Amino acid sequence: MPPRKIIIDTDPGQDDAAAIMLALASPELDVLGITAVAGNVPLALTARNAGMISEICGRGDVAVFAGADRPLQRKLVTAEHVHGKTGLDGVEPFEPARPLEPMHAVDFIIETLREHPAGDVTLCALGPLTNIATVIERAPGVVPKIREIVLMGGGFFEGGNITPSAEFNIYVDPEAARIVFNSGAPITMMPLDVTHKVLTTRSRVERLRANGNRPSLVMADMLEFFERYDEHKYGTDGGPLHDPTVVAWLIDPGMFDGRRSNVEIETGSDLTLGATVVDWWKVTGRPENAFVVRNVDADRFFDLFIDRVGRL
Ligand code: BDR
Ligand code: CA
């Protein structure tokens, strides 16, 4: 089978970096480009970080496009308290050799979808959904060409991580999330309910470090910074590694399970802004608009992740 063509839309973020590494290390996937969005840190940093990670993977040839620098209607909320001030604390920052592409991320996504046959290109969304929502609003004609949008966002049984009821990516731009969930594109959702099961335990990080190649060492250093905040917050051995679940889904969906459900996004309430209301028990009769993942075989996930990053 030819590799599956993907665009990674991202706000790196150590866990975004882990997702980019897994994608670049996997022969099943062909990364057409990386599009940056403001989220964990402002856009200038997420765009630089995407280039840095590609270069660390020996893939300085991957094109990086900068996109939205703020949510559709709100002020940007960032997460330096989780990721550090560069977004990738744990690794020494540097300017990537390959400059950013001059084209805007949204234009790149639209053009790429137009150029490819329907059902060819998958969008992997690892940050606030501002870029993807802008694509849908600006060029609704490309929506039927999207093979799948696989996104990390939301939380239902687990609640939220930035407020008691909202997960960060959806909270930052709930209006964008609503546009995406109402778009009619096939959506697979990786909420906190699944990512909280993917823990960077000490022994897993040691196994990664034992690979000995530069990407594994960099990733182990970053994870040791990243998990500090979450270990304290959740009282777990290691923290959740959210975003690479999106990429793992494309490589080995058999390690996950979930069900098709209706998902609606709260945009009105101060108390529950950005909540993802999942009709898991099908009590509303509202149409199913996403495949919502709830469980993962975490050992199988880390076997894949550690093996692949070790090959870079
Ligand atoms: C999500 O928010 C970000 O901080 C992470 O990179 C991940 O995409 C988890 O809530
Ligand atoms: Ca992210």
Side-chain angles (χ1 to χ4, degrees), residues 94-130:
F94 62 88
E95 270 318 305
R98 178 173 172 141
L100 276 177
E101 299 302 308
M103 188 185 264
H104 192 281
V106 168
D107 295 324
F108 169 70
I109 298 172
I110 292 172
E111 282 205 4
T112 307
L113 287 166
R114 281 193 178 134
E115 274 165 11
H116 286 81
D120 231 25
V121 177
T122 295
L123 305 181
C124 299
L126 313 179
L129 290 161
T130 322

PDB file of all heavy atoms in Angstrom, residues 94-130:
ATOM      1  N   PHE A  94      16.983  26.249  18.674  1.00  0.00           N
ATOM      2  CA  PHE A  94      17.831  26.778  17.593  1.00  0.00           C
ATOM      3  C   PHE A  94      16.945  27.167  16.412  1.00  0.00           C
ATOM      4  O   PHE A  94      15.790  26.719  16.328  1.00  0.00           O
ATOM      5  CB  PHE A  94      18.897  25.752  17.158  1.00  0.00           C
ATOM      6  CG  PHE A  94      18.330  24.477  16.600  1.00  0.00           C
ATOM      7  CD1 PHE A  94      18.038  24.349  15.243  1.00  0.00           C
ATOM      8  CD2 PHE A  94      18.094  23.377  17.427  1.00  0.00           C
ATOM      9  CE1 PHE A  94      17.514  23.158  14.720  1.00  0.00           C
ATOM     10  CE2 PHE A  94      17.572  22.185  16.912  1.00  0.00           C
ATOM     11  CZ  PHE A  94      17.284  22.081  15.566  1.00  0.00           C
ATOM     12  N   GLU A  95      17.471  27.987  15.515  1.00  0.00           N
ATOM     13  CA  GLU A  95      16.726  28.370  14.311  1.00  0.00           C
ATOM     14  C   GLU A  95      16.889  27.280  13.266  1.00  0.00           C
ATOM     15  O   GLU A  95      18.021  26.951  12.884  1.00  0.00           O
ATOM     16  CB  GLU A  95      17.267  29.684  13.735  1.00  0.00           C
ATOM     17  CG  GLU A  95      16.601  30.952  14.254  1.00  0.00           C
ATOM     18  CD  GLU A  95      15.093  30.883  14.396  1.00  0.00           C
ATOM     19  OE1 GLU A  95      14.410  30.559  13.401  1.00  0.00           O
ATOM     20  OE2 GLU A  95      14.592  31.143  15.504  1.00  0.00           O
ATOM     21  N   PRO A  96      15.824  26.711  12.742  1.00  0.00           N
ATOM     22  CA  PRO A  96      15.972  25.685  11.707  1.00  0.00           C
ATOM     23  C   PRO A  96      16.643  26.265  10.455  1.00  0.00           C
ATOM     24  O   PRO A  96      16.455  27.444  10.147  1.00  0.00           O
ATOM     25  CB  PRO A  96      14.535  25.282  11.378  1.00  0.00           C
ATOM     26  CG  PRO A  96      13.655  25.977  12.347  1.00  0.00           C
ATOM     27  CD  PRO A  96      14.433  27.003  13.095  1.00  0.00           C
ATOM     28  N   ALA A  97      17.423  25.416   9.758  1.00  0.00           N
ATOM     29  CA  ALA A  97      18.131  25.891   8.566  1.00  0.00           C
ATOM     30  C   ALA A  97      17.141  26.252   7.461  1.00  0.00           C
ATOM     31  O   ALA A  97      17.331  27.228   6.738  1.00  0.00           O
ATOM     32  CB  ALA A  97      19.099  24.813   8.078  1.00  0.00           C
ATOM     33  N   ARG A  98      16.081  25.459   7.327  1.00  0.00           N
ATOM     34  CA  ARG A  98      15.111  25.741   6.259  1.00  0.00           C
ATOM     35  C   ARG A  98      14.133  26.815   6.740  1.00  0.00           C
ATOM     36  O   ARG A  98      13.462  26.635   7.763  1.00  0.00           O
ATOM     37  CB  ARG A  98      14.355  24.467   5.904  1.00  0.00           C
ATOM     38  CG  ARG A  98      13.299  24.703   4.843  1.00  0.00           C
ATOM     39  CD  ARG A  98      12.662  23.409   4.367  1.00  0.00           C
ATOM     40  NE  ARG A  98      11.541  23.711   3.496  1.00  0.00           N
ATOM     41  CZ  ARG A  98      11.238  23.038   2.402  1.00  0.00           C
ATOM     42  NH1 ARG A  98      11.961  22.010   2.052  1.00  0.00           N
ATOM     43  NH2 ARG A  98      10.202  23.372   1.667  1.00  0.00           N
ATOM     44  N   PRO A  99      14.018  27.916   6.000  1.00  0.00           N
ATOM     45  CA  PRO A  99      13.090  28.965   6.446  1.00  0.00           C
ATOM     46  C   PRO A  99      11.640  28.512   6.308  1.00  0.00           C
ATOM     47  O   PRO A  99      11.339  27.555   5.568  1.00  0.00           O
ATOM     48  CB  PRO A  99      13.386  30.138   5.506  1.00  0.00           C
ATOM     49  CG  PRO A  99      14.129  29.565   4.355  1.00  0.00           C
ATOM     50  CD  PRO A  99      14.702  28.238   4.755  1.00  0.00           C
ATOM     51  N   LEU A 100      10.769  29.227   6.988  1.00  0.00           N
ATOM     52  CA  LEU A 100       9.332  28.975   6.845  1.00  0.00           C
ATOM     53  C   LEU A 100       8.922  29.215   5.398  1.00  0.00           C
ATOM     54  O   LEU A 100       9.488  30.086   4.721  1.00  0.00           O
ATOM     55  CB  LEU A 100       8.564  29.986   7.700  1.00  0.00           C
ATOM     56  CG  LEU A 100       8.369  29.674   9.164  1.00  0.00           C
ATOM     57  CD1 LEU A 100       7.648  30.850   9.833  1.00  0.00           C
ATOM     58  CD2 LEU A 100       7.564  28.395   9.317  1.00  0.00           C
ATOM     59  N   GLU A 101       7.930  28.482   4.942  1.00  0.00           N
ATOM     60  CA  GLU A 101       7.390  28.718   3.596  1.00  0.00           C
ATOM     61  C   GLU A 101       6.683  30.078   3.568  1.00  0.00           C
ATOM     62  O   GLU A 101       6.052  30.463   4.561  1.00  0.00           O
ATOM     63  CB  GLU A 101       6.374  27.629   3.236  1.00  0.00           C
ATOM     64  CG  GLU A 101       6.945  26.235   3.200  1.00  0.00           C
ATOM     65  CD  GLU A 101       8.093  26.102   2.215  1.00  0.00           C
ATOM     66  OE1 GLU A 101       7.914  26.483   1.041  1.00  0.00           O
ATOM     67  OE2 GLU A 101       9.160  25.632   2.624  1.00  0.00           O
ATOM     68  N   PRO A 102       6.734  30.784   2.454  1.00  0.00           N
ATOM     69  CA  PRO A 102       6.045  32.075   2.397  1.00  0.00           C
ATOM     70  C   PRO A 102       4.516  31.946   2.380  1.00  0.00           C
ATOM     71  O   PRO A 102       3.804  32.858   2.750  1.00  0.00           O
ATOM     72  CB  PRO A 102       6.551  32.693   1.079  1.00  0.00           C
ATOM     73  CG  PRO A 102       7.169  31.582   0.309  1.00  0.00           C
ATOM     74  CD  PRO A 102       7.540  30.491   1.263  1.00  0.00           C
ATOM     75  N   MET A 103       4.008  30.792   1.949  1.00  0.00           N
ATOM     76  CA  MET A 103       2.549  30.631   1.833  1.00  0.00           C
ATOM     77  C   MET A 103       1.912  30.478   3.220  1.00  0.00           C
ATOM     78  O   MET A 103       2.501  29.892   4.131  1.00  0.00           O
ATOM     79  CB  MET A 103       2.279  29.366   1.002  1.00  0.00           C
ATOM     80  CG  MET A 103       0.832  29.151   0.630  1.00  0.00           C
ATOM     81  SD  MET A 103       0.625  27.568  -0.214  1.00  0.00           S
ATOM     82  CE  MET A 103       0.676  28.076  -1.895  1.00  0.00           C
ATOM     83  N   HIS A 104       0.698  30.988   3.379  1.00  0.00           N
ATOM     84  CA  HIS A 104      -0.037  30.817   4.640  1.00  0.00           C
ATOM     85  C   HIS A 104      -0.494  29.365   4.768  1.00  0.00           C
ATOM     86  O   HIS A 104      -0.850  28.726   3.770  1.00  0.00           O
ATOM     87  CB  HIS A 104      -1.254  31.761   4.643  1.00  0.00           C
ATOM     88  CG  HIS A 104      -1.917  31.881   5.979  1.00  0.00           C
ATOM     89  ND1 HIS A 104      -2.783  30.936   6.477  1.00  0.00           N
ATOM     90  CD2 HIS A 104      -1.808  32.840   6.931  1.00  0.00           C
ATOM     91  CE1 HIS A 104      -3.204  31.322   7.673  1.00  0.00           C
ATOM     92  NE2 HIS A 104      -2.622  32.483   7.975  1.00  0.00           N
ATOM     93  N   ALA A 105      -0.507  28.875   5.994  1.00  0.00           N
ATOM     94  CA  ALA A 105      -0.887  27.478   6.245  1.00  0.00           C
ATOM     95  C   ALA A 105      -2.260  27.135   5.673  1.00  0.00           C
ATOM     96  O   ALA A 105      -2.460  26.046   5.105  1.00  0.00           O
ATOM     97  CB  ALA A 105      -0.877  27.216   7.758  1.00  0.00           C
ATOM     98  N   VAL A 106      -3.196  28.055   5.812  1.00  0.00           N
ATOM     99  CA  VAL A 106      -4.564  27.776   5.339  1.00  0.00           C
ATOM    100  C   VAL A 106      -4.557  27.605   3.816  1.00  0.00           C
ATOM    101  O   VAL A 106      -5.200  26.699   3.271  1.00  0.00           O
ATOM    102  CB  VAL A 106      -5.517  28.914   5.790  1.00  0.00           C
ATOM    103  CG1 VAL A 106      -6.863  28.821   5.067  1.00  0.00           C
ATOM    104  CG2 VAL A 106      -5.699  28.866   7.307  1.00  0.00           C
ATOM    105  N   ASP A 107      -3.809  28.460   3.122  1.00  0.00           N
ATOM    106  CA  ASP A 107      -3.724  28.341   1.655  1.00  0.00           C
ATOM    107  C   ASP A 107      -3.056  27.030   1.258  1.00  0.00           C
ATOM    108  O   ASP A 107      -3.464  26.376   0.295  1.00  0.00           O
ATOM    109  CB  ASP A 107      -2.943  29.520   1.069  1.00  0.00           C
ATOM    110  CG  ASP A 107      -3.677  30.835   1.294  1.00  0.00           C
ATOM    111  OD1 ASP A 107      -4.913  30.825   1.232  1.00  0.00           O
ATOM    112  OD2 ASP A 107      -3.013  31.852   1.564  1.00  0.00           O
ATOM    113  N   PHE A 108      -2.035  26.635   2.022  1.00  0.00           N
ATOM    114  CA  PHE A 108      -1.360  25.365   1.712  1.00  0.00           C
ATOM    115  C   PHE A 108      -2.340  24.188   1.849  1.00  0.00           C
ATOM    116  O   PHE A 108      -2.390  23.308   0.984  1.00  0.00           O
ATOM    117  CB  PHE A 108      -0.156  25.165   2.636  1.00  0.00           C
ATOM    118  CG  PHE A 108       0.420  23.778   2.544  1.00  0.00           C
ATOM    119  CD1 PHE A 108       1.096  23.360   1.398  1.00  0.00           C
ATOM    120  CD2 PHE A 108       0.260  22.870   3.589  1.00  0.00           C
ATOM    121  CE1 PHE A 108       1.609  22.070   1.296  1.00  0.00           C
ATOM    122  CE2 PHE A 108       0.770  21.577   3.494  1.00  0.00           C
ATOM    123  CZ  PHE A 108       1.442  21.169   2.352  1.00  0.00           C
ATOM    124  N   ILE A 109      -3.121  24.196   2.912  1.00  0.00           N
ATOM    125  CA  ILE A 109      -4.059  23.073   3.113  1.00  0.00           C
ATOM    126  C   ILE A 109      -5.097  23.059   1.982  1.00  0.00           C
ATOM    127  O   ILE A 109      -5.383  22.007   1.386  1.00  0.00           O
ATOM    128  CB  ILE A 109      -4.736  23.157   4.499  1.00  0.00           C
ATOM    129  CG1 ILE A 109      -3.690  23.058   5.612  1.00  0.00           C
ATOM    130  CG2 ILE A 109      -5.777  22.039   4.653  1.00  0.00           C
ATOM    131  CD1 ILE A 109      -4.232  23.320   7.021  1.00  0.00           C
ATOM    132  N   ILE A 110      -5.621  24.246   1.656  1.00  0.00           N
ATOM    133  CA  ILE A 110      -6.651  24.315   0.593  1.00  0.00           C
ATOM    134  C   ILE A 110      -6.050  23.841  -0.740  1.00  0.00           C
ATOM    135  O   ILE A 110      -6.631  22.996  -1.437  1.00  0.00           O
ATOM    136  CB  ILE A 110      -7.211  25.755   0.464  1.00  0.00           C
ATOM    137  CG1 ILE A 110      -8.012  26.120   1.718  1.00  0.00           C
ATOM    138  CG2 ILE A 110      -8.080  25.895  -0.788  1.00  0.00           C
ATOM    139  CD1 ILE A 110      -8.456  27.578   1.790  1.00  0.00           C
ATOM    140  N   GLU A 111      -4.888  24.366  -1.085  1.00  0.00           N
ATOM    141  CA  GLU A 111      -4.270  23.989  -2.375  1.00  0.00           C
ATOM    142  C   GLU A 111      -3.954  22.508  -2.441  1.00  0.00           C
ATOM    143  O   GLU A 111      -4.154  21.857  -3.462  1.00  0.00           O
ATOM    144  CB  GLU A 111      -2.986  24.789  -2.594  1.00  0.00           C
ATOM    145  CG  GLU A 111      -3.280  26.183  -3.044  1.00  0.00           C
ATOM    146  CD  GLU A 111      -2.136  26.805  -3.838  1.00  0.00           C
ATOM    147  OE1 GLU A 111      -1.122  26.132  -4.106  1.00  0.00           O
ATOM    148  OE2 GLU A 111      -2.288  27.982  -4.183  1.00  0.00           O
ATOM    149  N   THR A 112      -3.447  21.975  -1.319  1.00  0.00           N
ATOM    150  CA  THR A 112      -3.089  20.553  -1.311  1.00  0.00           C
ATOM    151  C   THR A 112      -4.336  19.696  -1.510  1.00  0.00           C
ATOM    152  O   THR A 112      -4.322  18.718  -2.283  1.00  0.00           O
ATOM    153  CB  THR A 112      -2.388  20.189   0.016  1.00  0.00           C
ATOM    154  OG1 THR A 112      -1.314  21.095   0.206  1.00  0.00           O
ATOM    155  CG2 THR A 112      -1.859  18.769   0.004  1.00  0.00           C
ATOM    156  N   LEU A 113      -5.424  20.068  -0.834  1.00  0.00           N
ATOM    157  CA  LEU A 113      -6.663  19.294  -1.005  1.00  0.00           C
ATOM    158  C   LEU A 113      -7.172  19.420  -2.447  1.00  0.00           C
ATOM    159  O   LEU A 113      -7.644  18.438  -3.028  1.00  0.00           O
ATOM    160  CB  LEU A 113      -7.728  19.763  -0.012  1.00  0.00           C
ATOM    161  CG  LEU A 113      -7.473  19.327   1.439  1.00  0.00           C
ATOM    162  CD1 LEU A 113      -8.361  20.108   2.405  1.00  0.00           C
ATOM    163  CD2 LEU A 113      -7.696  17.826   1.612  1.00  0.00           C
ATOM    164  N   ARG A 114      -7.049  20.604  -3.007  1.00  0.00           N
ATOM    165  CA  ARG A 114      -7.520  20.793  -4.407  1.00  0.00           C
ATOM    166  C   ARG A 114      -6.710  19.969  -5.385  1.00  0.00           C
ATOM    167  O   ARG A 114      -7.245  19.423  -6.348  1.00  0.00           O
ATOM    168  CB  ARG A 114      -7.429  22.281  -4.783  1.00  0.00           C
ATOM    169  CG  ARG A 114      -8.588  23.066  -4.201  1.00  0.00           C
ATOM    170  CD  ARG A 114      -8.704  24.453  -4.819  1.00  0.00           C
ATOM    171  NE  ARG A 114      -9.868  25.125  -4.249  1.00  0.00           N
ATOM    172  CZ  ARG A 114      -9.881  26.384  -3.810  1.00  0.00           C
ATOM    173  NH1 ARG A 114      -8.803  27.143  -3.916  1.00  0.00           N
ATOM    174  NH2 ARG A 114     -10.982  26.903  -3.297  1.00  0.00           N
ATOM    175  N   GLU A 115      -5.394  19.892  -5.142  1.00  0.00           N
ATOM    176  CA  GLU A 115      -4.500  19.197  -6.079  1.00  0.00           C
ATOM    177  C   GLU A 115      -4.656  17.682  -6.046  1.00  0.00           C
ATOM    178  O   GLU A 115      -4.248  16.997  -6.972  1.00  0.00           O
ATOM    179  CB  GLU A 115      -3.036  19.463  -5.671  1.00  0.00           C
ATOM    180  CG  GLU A 115      -2.452  20.732  -6.218  1.00  0.00           C
ATOM    181  CD  GLU A 115      -1.160  21.085  -5.489  1.00  0.00           C
ATOM    182  OE1 GLU A 115      -0.625  20.244  -4.727  1.00  0.00           O
ATOM    183  OE2 GLU A 115      -0.706  22.221  -5.665  1.00  0.00           O
ATOM    184  N   HIS A 116      -5.152  17.144  -4.926  1.00  0.00           N
ATOM    185  CA  HIS A 116      -5.199  15.687  -4.768  1.00  0.00           C
ATOM    186  C   HIS A 116      -6.614  15.164  -5.019  1.00  0.00           C
ATOM    187  O   HIS A 116      -7.589  15.874  -4.792  1.00  0.00           O
ATOM    188  CB  HIS A 116      -4.746  15.291  -3.359  1.00  0.00           C
ATOM    189  CG  HIS A 116      -3.261  15.411  -3.173  1.00  0.00           C
ATOM    190  ND1 HIS A 116      -2.640  16.614  -2.914  1.00  0.00           N
ATOM    191  CD2 HIS A 116      -2.272  14.482  -3.225  1.00  0.00           C
ATOM    192  CE1 HIS A 116      -1.340  16.422  -2.809  1.00  0.00           C
ATOM    193  NE2 HIS A 116      -1.084  15.138  -3.004  1.00  0.00           N
ATOM    194  N   PRO A 117      -6.699  13.912  -5.454  1.00  0.00           N
ATOM    195  CA  PRO A 117      -8.028  13.327  -5.615  1.00  0.00           C
ATOM    196  C   PRO A 117      -8.766  13.257  -4.277  1.00  0.00           C
ATOM    197  O   PRO A 117      -8.129  13.228  -3.223  1.00  0.00           O
ATOM    198  CB  PRO A 117      -7.737  11.901  -6.120  1.00  0.00           C
ATOM    199  CG  PRO A 117      -6.291  11.845  -6.451  1.00  0.00           C
ATOM    200  CD  PRO A 117      -5.612  12.992  -5.791  1.00  0.00           C
ATOM    201  N   ALA A 118     -10.080  13.213  -4.330  1.00  0.00           N
ATOM    202  CA  ALA A 118     -10.882  13.105  -3.105  1.00  0.00           C
ATOM    203  C   ALA A 118     -10.465  11.852  -2.331  1.00  0.00           C
ATOM    204  O   ALA A 118     -10.182  10.807  -2.925  1.00  0.00           O
ATOM    205  CB  ALA A 118     -12.356  13.040  -3.464  1.00  0.00           C
ATOM    206  N   GLY A 119     -10.411  11.966  -1.032  1.00  0.00           N
ATOM    207  CA  GLY A 119     -10.101  10.812  -0.191  1.00  0.00           C
ATOM    208  C   GLY A 119      -8.622  10.509  -0.089  1.00  0.00           C
ATOM    209  O   GLY A 119      -8.239   9.431   0.392  1.00  0.00           O
ATOM    210  N   ASP A 120      -7.780  11.425  -0.513  1.00  0.00           N
ATOM    211  CA  ASP A 120      -6.339  11.161  -0.517  1.00  0.00           C
ATOM    212  C   ASP A 120      -5.630  11.729   0.715  1.00  0.00           C
ATOM    213  O   ASP A 120      -4.677  11.127   1.209  1.00  0.00           O
ATOM    214  CB  ASP A 120      -5.724  11.826  -1.763  1.00  0.00           C
ATOM    215  CG  ASP A 120      -4.872  10.857  -2.549  1.00  0.00           C
ATOM    216  OD1 ASP A 120      -5.134   9.648  -2.422  1.00  0.00           O
ATOM    217  OD2 ASP A 120      -3.952  11.309  -3.268  1.00  0.00           O
ATOM    218  N   VAL A 121      -6.067  12.896   1.157  1.00  0.00           N
ATOM    219  CA  VAL A 121      -5.283  13.630   2.160  1.00  0.00           C
ATOM    220  C   VAL A 121      -6.001  13.624   3.509  1.00  0.00           C
ATOM    221  O   VAL A 121      -7.183  13.957   3.607  1.00  0.00           O
ATOM    222  CB  VAL A 121      -5.026  15.085   1.695  1.00  0.00           C
ATOM    223  CG1 VAL A 121      -4.271  15.874   2.764  1.00  0.00           C
ATOM    224  CG2 VAL A 121      -4.249  15.092   0.379  1.00  0.00           C
ATOM    225  N   THR A 122      -5.241  13.255   4.535  1.00  0.00           N
ATOM    226  CA  THR A 122      -5.734  13.229   5.918  1.00  0.00           C
ATOM    227  C   THR A 122      -5.142  14.419   6.673  1.00  0.00           C
ATOM    228  O   THR A 122      -3.956  14.729   6.521  1.00  0.00           O
ATOM    229  CB  THR A 122      -5.287  11.913   6.594  1.00  0.00           C
ATOM    230  OG1 THR A 122      -5.941  10.831   5.930  1.00  0.00           O
ATOM    231  CG2 THR A 122      -5.637  11.877   8.070  1.00  0.00           C
ATOM    232  N   LEU A 123      -5.977  15.075   7.484  1.00  0.00           N
ATOM    233  CA  LEU A 123      -5.491  16.186   8.309  1.00  0.00           C
ATOM    234  C   LEU A 123      -5.341  15.692   9.745  1.00  0.00           C
ATOM    235  O   LEU A 123      -6.294  15.153  10.325  1.00  0.00           O
ATOM    236  CB  LEU A 123      -6.477  17.356   8.268  1.00  0.00           C
ATOM    237  CG  LEU A 123      -6.843  17.885   6.878  1.00  0.00           C
ATOM    238  CD1 LEU A 123      -7.824  19.060   6.992  1.00  0.00           C
ATOM    239  CD2 LEU A 123      -5.598  18.300   6.089  1.00  0.00           C
ATOM    240  N   CYS A 124      -4.152  15.881  10.307  1.00  0.00           N
ATOM    241  CA  CYS A 124      -3.895  15.508  11.696  1.00  0.00           C
ATOM    242  C   CYS A 124      -3.853  16.798  12.501  1.00  0.00           C
ATOM    243  O   CYS A 124      -2.939  17.607  12.306  1.00  0.00           O
ATOM    244  CB  CYS A 124      -2.548  14.808  11.832  1.00  0.00           C
ATOM    245  SG  CYS A 124      -2.443  13.296  10.890  1.00  0.00           S
ATOM    246  N   ALA A 125      -4.808  16.998  13.372  1.00  0.00           N
ATOM    247  CA  ALA A 125      -4.915  18.269  14.098  1.00  0.00           C
ATOM    248  C   ALA A 125      -4.493  18.064  15.545  1.00  0.00           C
ATOM    249  O   ALA A 125      -5.136  17.330  16.290  1.00  0.00           O
ATOM    250  CB  ALA A 125      -6.340  18.786  14.017  1.00  0.00           C
ATOM    251  N   LEU A 126      -3.404  18.740  15.919  1.00  0.00           N
ATOM    252  CA  LEU A 126      -2.802  18.513  17.236  1.00  0.00           C
ATOM    253  C   LEU A 126      -2.883  19.744  18.133  1.00  0.00           C
ATOM    254  O   LEU A 126      -2.310  19.747  19.225  1.00  0.00           O
ATOM    255  CB  LEU A 126      -1.322  18.128  17.076  1.00  0.00           C
ATOM    256  CG  LEU A 126      -0.982  17.065  16.031  1.00  0.00           C
ATOM    257  CD1 LEU A 126       0.526  16.827  15.981  1.00  0.00           C
ATOM    258  CD2 LEU A 126      -1.716  15.768  16.351  1.00  0.00           C
ATOM    259  N   GLY A 127      -3.548  20.785  17.655  1.00  0.00           N
ATOM    260  CA  GLY A 127      -3.642  22.017  18.434  1.00  0.00           C
ATOM    261  C   GLY A 127      -5.045  22.602  18.324  1.00  0.00           C
ATOM    262  O   GLY A 127      -5.977  21.922  17.877  1.00  0.00           O
ATOM    263  N   PRO A 128      -5.220  23.869  18.709  1.00  0.00           N
ATOM    264  CA  PRO A 128      -6.505  24.530  18.474  1.00  0.00           C
ATOM    265  C   PRO A 128      -6.871  24.435  16.995  1.00  0.00           C
ATOM    266  O   PRO A 128      -5.990  24.438  16.128  1.00  0.00           O
ATOM    267  CB  PRO A 128      -6.233  25.978  18.911  1.00  0.00           C
ATOM    268  CG  PRO A 128      -5.108  25.866  19.893  1.00  0.00           C
ATOM    269  CD  PRO A 128      -4.248  24.738  19.402  1.00  0.00           C
ATOM    270  N   LEU A 129      -8.173  24.385  16.707  1.00  0.00           N
ATOM    271  CA  LEU A 129      -8.615  24.039  15.350  1.00  0.00           C
ATOM    272  C   LEU A 129      -8.773  25.256  14.426  1.00  0.00           C
ATOM    273  O   LEU A 129      -9.462  25.184  13.400  1.00  0.00           O
ATOM    274  CB  LEU A 129      -9.915  23.233  15.444  1.00  0.00           C
ATOM    275  CG  LEU A 129      -9.666  21.829  16.017  1.00  0.00           C
ATOM    276  CD1 LEU A 129     -10.960  21.206  16.549  1.00  0.00           C
ATOM    277  CD2 LEU A 129      -9.026  20.924  14.967  1.00  0.00           C
ATOM    278  N   THR A 130      -8.107  26.350  14.744  1.00  0.00           N
ATOM    279  CA  THR A 130      -8.270  27.606  14.002  1.00  0.00           C
ATOM    280  C   THR A 130      -7.938  27.462  12.514  1.00  0.00           C
ATOM    281  O   THR A 130      -8.709  27.928  11.656  1.00  0.00           O
ATOM    282  CB  THR A 130      -7.375  28.701  14.628  1.00  0.00           C
ATOM    283  OG1 THR A 130      -7.389  28.555  16.050  1.00  0.00           O
ATOM    284  CG2 THR A 130      -7.843  30.079  14.230  1.00  0.00           C
TER     285      THR A 130
END
